[in-house]
Amino acid sequence: MTDIQQTHSDPGMAELARHAWRIRRFALRMGEVQGQGYVGQALGWADVLAVAYCHAMNLRPAEPEWEGRDRFLLSHGHYAIALYAALLEAEVIPEDELDTYGCDDSRLPMSGMATYTPGMEISGGSLGQGLAIAVGQSLGLRLKGSQAFVYNSMSDGELDEGAVWEAAMSAAHHKLDNLINLVDINRQQADGPSHDILQFEPLVDKWQAFGWHVQRVDGNDLQAVKQAFDIARAVTEAKPRVILFDTLMGKGVPFLEQRDKNHFIRVEPQEWQQAISNLDQIHAPRSSL
């Protein structure tokens, strides 16, 4: 066994598509347990998580605190249902815990909490804090001589927070080439469309001006997502990297994709199975049906 061990060696696109489908399916099943949740974000972010956990990141599923691991920080703690689905798919969490989602004494609370869940690096949810923590972790790993990467997962709504831009400036100043920031641009916030709350474009120009290596891709195009991760890891410039992912909330379930507001999803009890059926018809590999 080598010191660095990936969850999967190098899955093809068909295998990555299967992982993304299963992550979406896990999220819907957890949503059904509580009858509600941040499922729209999980469906939209599933392709990014599939590439992160099933291709790019160095992990040992049986040892979630292995020192040589890549760190994945969930700044937007309300995306916990999405990360749990990825941790289930990566076999960090056993599938039989899925039905405990959001229940008393569960290791899968509705907002991400590091003290409860294996593989959850920080307690997120106070939005705008994750990137600053990622800067600190990246500096610490550098001092240890570690080859691990730190990934910070955040939402476009967090770009409203001044602490994000302070952290961005600090990361560039310290030339943190072990830091990869992942931004979900789904254009929705609790209070309405992101651009109506606070305009944040042009994002590519802004991150470049802050001294980062920048990519912007379709976050629901698996091939583009995989390529963006590979490029971010391979960049030789001594600077932090950011990947801006344009995503569609509810991706994979047409009647959820078409909702005007799906920041927090509530559906009728019978609609959960309809959602799973729609997802399977569109995305399930034939061998899995």
Side-chain angles (χ1 to χ4, degrees):
M1 180 182 293
T2 60
D3 286 340
I4 294 179
Q5 184 179 63
Q6 289 189 326
T7 309
H8 295 268
S9 55
D10 188 16
M13 296 311 301
E15 185 65 13
L16 278 177
R18 179 177 179 276
H19 289 307
W21 162 64
R22 284 173 53 85
I23 288 171
R24 289 186 168 96
R25 210 172 193 279
F26 283 142
L28 287 169
R29 288 174 58 196
M30 282 185 280
E32 186 176 13
V33 171
Q34 292 295 328
Q36 60 187 8
Y38 294 98
V39 176
Q41 290 90 333
L43 295 172
W45 204 227
D47 298 302
V48 173
L49 291 170
V51 173
Y53 276 87
C54 303
H55 168 65
M57 291 174 59
N58 294 317
L59 301 170
R60 289 181 182 172
E63 299 178 55
E65 296 186 8
W66 170 50
E67 179 60 27
R69 72 191 183 280
D70 288 337
R71 275 70 169 170
F72 190 97
L73 277 55
L74 192 73
S75 181
H76 39 187
H78 60 291
Y79 277 51
I81 191 171
L83 186 55
Y84 299 154
L87 292 171
L88 285 162
E89 183 63 7
E91 300 181 350
V92 176
I93 298 172
E95 189 173 340
D96 59 10
E97 289 194 41
L98 182 151
D99 290 333
T100 72
Y101 170 70
C103 298
D104 291 347
D105 299 321
S106 172
R107 296 200 300 176
L108 311 179
M110 291 188 74
S111 188
M113 300 180 71
T115 53
Y116 285 81
T117 313
M120 183 72 70
E121 298 283 355
I122 64 170
S123 295
S126 182
L127 297 181
Q129 306 304 309
L131 187 57
I133 299 171
V135 168
Q137 288 199 359
S138 299
L139 283 167
L141 289 170
R142 175 193 284 176
L143 288 171
K144 291 180 177 181
S146 173
Q147 299 300 305
F149 280 92
V150 177
Y151 293 86
N152 179 64
S153 178
M154 63 178 292
S155 54
D156 56 5
E158 291 186 79
L159 298 173
D160 298 353
E161 305 289 344
V164 169
W165 299 104
E166 294 178 42
M169 186 165 54
S170 179
H173 173 78
H174 291 291
K175 297 180 172 56
L176 296 180
D177 54 4
N178 58 345
L179 173 56
I180 302 176
N181 194 32
L182 313 172
V183 186
D184 183 9
I185 306 173
N186 57 43
R187 299 176 180 81
Q188 288 197 40
Q189 297 179 221
D191 295 329
S194 300
H195 62 269
D196 288 346
I197 306 305
L198 192 62
Q199 179 59 258
F200 48 63
E201 297 288 2
L203 282 178
V204 171
D205 293 343
K206 285 181 179 176
W207 284 97
Q208 286 178 340
F210 272 73
W212 288 59
H213 179 276
V214 186
Q215 300 177 77
R216 187 165 189 169
V217 302
D218 181 346
N220 297 131
D221 179 337
L222 268 173
Q223 182 69 58
V225 173
K226 180 176 182 289
Q227 183 178 29
F229 269 83
D230 290 345
I231 289 172
R233 292 179 67 95
V235 169
T236 57
E237 295 175 281
K239 58 172 58 177
R241 305 95 196 269
V242 60
I243 312 174
L244 308 170
F245 294 103
D246 292 287
T247 68
L248 177 63
M249 292 180 75
K251 179 67 177 178
V253 180
F255 78 89
L256 295 180
E257 292 177 5
Q258 295 162 12
R259 285 191 173 190
D260 291 333
K261 290 186 177 182
N262 50 22
H263 184 268
F264 186 84
I265 285 180
R266 295 183 179 90
V267 302
E268 296 301 319
Q270 71 276 9
E271 287 185 311
W272 290 106
Q273 286 304 310
Q274 178 188 341
I276 291 173
S277 177
N278 288 170
L279 176 71
D280 289 348
Q281 289 171 8
I282 296 170
H283 292 284
R286 292 186 180 276
S287 60
S288 300
L289 292 175

